[in-house]
Amino acid sequence: MEELDRVGPRLREARLAKGLTLEAVASRSGMSVSTLSRLESGKRQATLALLIPVTRQLGIRIDDLVRPESADPRVRRPAVRRNGMVIAPLTLEDSPVSTFKITYPPVRELPSLKTHDGFEWVYVLSGRLRLRLGEQDLVLARGEAAEFDTRTPHAMSAVGARPAEVISIFNAEGERIHTHDADSREA
């Protein structure tokens, strides 16, 4: 549907939301009831000469009548399994910052250290996460967070017998490496 096709229904919506009748808005706007009715139904083309007095009476802006429809905010990207991890996207694909819920399985050995451009922020939801960051070997428990430059060699895994669930936030460079790594194989 074209933006202009939405003007009439949005006018009607605004009028009804204010509890006003066609007669009241038409008379205050200096037009006939039939003109306003045809404008609301889309049978009359909207012009500035018609819209300005009506929008003033309704207390709205003309921009409110031609705003684009809101995109569906739901994230409908499937979780993927990679190297034993479950990576569930929490942001839309074109978001400037990417957020994932990642479940790290318990492993005997820490994965190899990697470096790449970007920054990463992690927050532990459950379990315990081992974060090797350069020479530091850290364990983060539920409720703890870390922020780091991913040019520092790093690796993560669950500690103990339970998986670790984390929220990971990446800028664009970090997301590309972690979730689309060419060396990864489906688990």
Side-chain angles (χ1 to χ4, degrees), residues 37-173:
S37 176
R38 290 190 347 254
L39 190 59
E40 285 186 356
S41 68
K43 294 178 182 168
R44 169 98 191 232
Q45 185 166 358
T47 65
L48 285 177
L50 292 173
L51 292 177
I52 289 173
V54 173
T55 56
R56 283 187 181 143
Q57 292 306 312
L58 296 174
I60 61 173
R61 301 172 309 143
I62 291 177
D63 288 354
D64 296 331
L65 299 175
V66 292
R67 71 185 185 280
E69 290 293 320
S70 296
D72 186 344
R74 294 174 289 184
V75 177
R76 296 184 174 180
R77 297 170 58 197
V80 296
R81 289 185 156 279
R82 191 166 282 127
N83 295 331
M85 297 181 295
V86 178
I87 303 168
L90 301 178
T91 50
L92 297 171
E93 199 163 345
D94 59 353
S95 292
V97 173
S98 297
T99 305
F100 298 88
K101 178 182 171 200
I102 301 177
T103 304
Y104 290 93
V107 294
R108 292 190 186 273
E109 291 187 31
L110 186 66
S112 61
L113 299 175
K114 292 187 178 185
T115 63
H116 51 87
D117 287 337
F119 281 86
E120 183 171 353
W121 296 262
V122 295
Y123 177 81
V124 180
L125 296 169
S126 67
R128 294 177 10 180
L129 179 74
R130 179 180 179 192
L131 169 62
R132 178 74 188 266
L133 186 59
E135 296 299 316
Q136 299 180 68
D137 200 354
L138 309 166
V139 175
L140 283 73
R142 185 172 56 104
E144 290 188 300
E147 171 186 359
F148 58 94
D149 183 331
T150 56
R151 291 175 295 185
T152 303
H154 63 282
M156 290 177 263
S157 69
V159 174
R162 293 185 26 211
E165 289 185 319
V166 305
I167 298 293
S168 286
I169 303 171
F170 304 95
N171 65 354
E173 293 83 13

